[in-house]
Amino acid sequence: MIDNPENLLNTELMTDTVALIGIPFDEYSSFLRGPAKAPSVIRQTLHNGASNLFAENGVNLETHPKFRDLGDLRLPGGEDAIAAIKSAIGRLTAQKARILVLGGDHAISYPVVHALTDTYDDLTLLHLDAHPDIYDSYNGSRFSHACPFARIMETGRVKRLVQVGVRGMNDEQRRQVNRFGVTCIEMKDYRSKNPIALEGPLYLSLDMDVLDPAYAPGVSHHEPGGMSTRKVLRLIQSIQCPIVGADIVEVNPDRDVNGMTAAVAAKFLKEIAGMMLKQG
Ligand code: MN
Ligand code: MN
């Protein structure tokens, strides 16, 4: 099921293939390393036999002809990795594949989204996270996992950024949110019964710390007061517009308890892929 990574970028894909791709990269984590281990742990969990590969909408990832697991990217270090990620994702989207990325820390979302804006000039981002990740720079780094949404918005190539679940807001990031015209729905104001109006094409960026640590202890930054697993699932399942790309980031297997967080990430993988595949 997983191709040889050496062949990954030369693989011919059917149009609208949902390509699963791991980006094992955590060099720009500010607090703890660990998320580079997540793609293999999430895949093991997906295939460990504890659950089937059906999404709740009836799509079966095991047999669907347009679901492909391309394995993990092999990356150089530092800023070269950022360029390599953009180039690899760009080659997949140029083939009209839709991509589902397993991070890695949140720093990977900048080059991934940047690559997508070469294909889509009216992209909307739905960003689920405890943190806005929009610092201009953090601990001296502009590629920190605390900065990707500043880098993305600076490109001027994204139509709209909608953040949901934030509870780590501060003055500096609020200035950035205002500067870039971001719609930021903080967790304290979020009501799941009020649907969020979104227009496609959509990129979904899912930081696992949007969940309450009770549901997902295996993340680097515990921010209490977050969403339940079911609340995130309802949000994913309520998306009406075409999803052209998504990432699931910030699982830190070193912090996990009994593989709980990896299991939730595998569940989100199934549901996001299921939504994308149902859209055809
Ligand atoms: Mn994040
Ligand atoms: Mn976060």
Side-chain angles (χ1 to χ4, degrees):
M1 186 173 189
I2 299 175
D3 293 296
N4 178 347
E6 300 302 322
N7 297 330
L8 187 155
L9 298 176
N10 301 317
T11 305
E12 289 253 344
L13 299 172
M14 277 190 287
T15 298
D16 286 335
T17 293
V18 174
L20 182 70
I21 180 164
I23 304 186
F25 185 77
D26 62 9
E27 287 182 27
Y28 289 118
S29 285
S30 59
F31 180 55
L32 297 171
R33 301 286 292 267
K37 300 172 186 166
S40 67
V41 172
I42 296 168
R43 275 201 190 83
Q44 277 165 23
T45 305
L46 188 69
H47 296 293
N48 69 7
S51 317
N52 61 42
L53 285 171
F54 278 75
E56 292 183 0
N57 66 3
V59 168
N60 184 1
L61 300 191
E62 199 156 33
T63 57
H64 200 290
K66 290 200 166 175
F67 182 70
R68 290 282 300 278
D69 187 343
L70 300 181
D72 291 349
L73 289 184
R74 287 188 189 164
L75 294 167
E79 288 187 33
D80 289 345
I82 301 292
I85 293 166
K86 179 173 187 281
S87 156
I89 298 299
R91 288 173 71 171
L92 294 173
T93 52
Q95 292 194 59
K96 306 228 169 9
R98 293 169 291 169
I99 51 148
L100 178 44
V101 168
L102 298 177
D105 70 34
H106 223 151
I108 62 131
S109 297
Y110 162 53
V112 170
V113 171
H114 200 190
L116 261 68
T117 60
D118 288 339
T119 300
Y120 304 99
D121 58 12
D122 55 349
L123 205 60
T124 292
L125 307 185
L126 176 60
H127 168 205
L128 310 184
D129 201 327
H131 314 95
D133 291 351
I134 200 163
Y135 283 104
D136 182 56
S137 89
Y138 196 77
N139 288 347
S141 172
R142 289 168 59 79
F143 293 108
S144 164
H145 72 155
C147 305
F149 291 90
R151 298 294 82 77
I152 288 167
M153 296 312 282
E154 279 168 359
T155 67
R157 295 167 75 180
V158 162
K159 189 171 140 198
R160 189 173 177 223
L161 170 58
V162 180
Q163 301 182 316
V164 182
V166 169
R167 51 204 187 272
M169 184 61 85
N170 60 7
D171 290 347
E172 187 177 346
Q173 293 199 94
R174 196 179 300 282
R175 276 194 295 276
Q176 290 281 86
V177 160
N178 293 335
R179 172 186 166 203
F180 291 118
V182 177
T183 304
C184 183
I185 305 169
E186 291 181 54
M187 196 68 215
K188 68 184 171 58
D189 303 318
Y190 175 66
R191 300 291 178 271
S192 51
K193 63 180 187 298
N194 299 338
I196 305 160
L198 298 166
E199 285 173 27
L202 186 83
Y203 183 89
L204 171 64
S205 187
L206 174 45
D207 183 327
M208 291 295 287
D209 68 30
V210 75
L211 292 163
D212 192 278
Y215 295 87
V219 296
S220 298
H221 303 261
H222 290 156
E223 293 283 355
M227 291 195 194
S228 67
T229 302
R230 183 49 61 182
K231 222 166 221 184
V232 174
L233 289 170
R234 288 224 171 89
L235 221 164
I236 293 167
Q237 291 166 347
S238 72
I239 294 172
Q240 308 272 339
C241 51
I243 306 169
V244 297
D247 62 53
I248 300 169
V249 297
E250 295 286 349
V251 170
N252 186 339
D254 293 343
R255 300 261 275 179
D256 210 357
V257 178
N258 296 331
M260 288 162 63
T261 311
V264 179
K267 172 76 174 168
F268 289 162
L269 184 170
K270 287 193 283 187
E271 293 305 313
I272 295 168
M275 289 291 289
M276 294 168 92
L277 292 163
K278 194 94 172 180
Q279 290 174 341

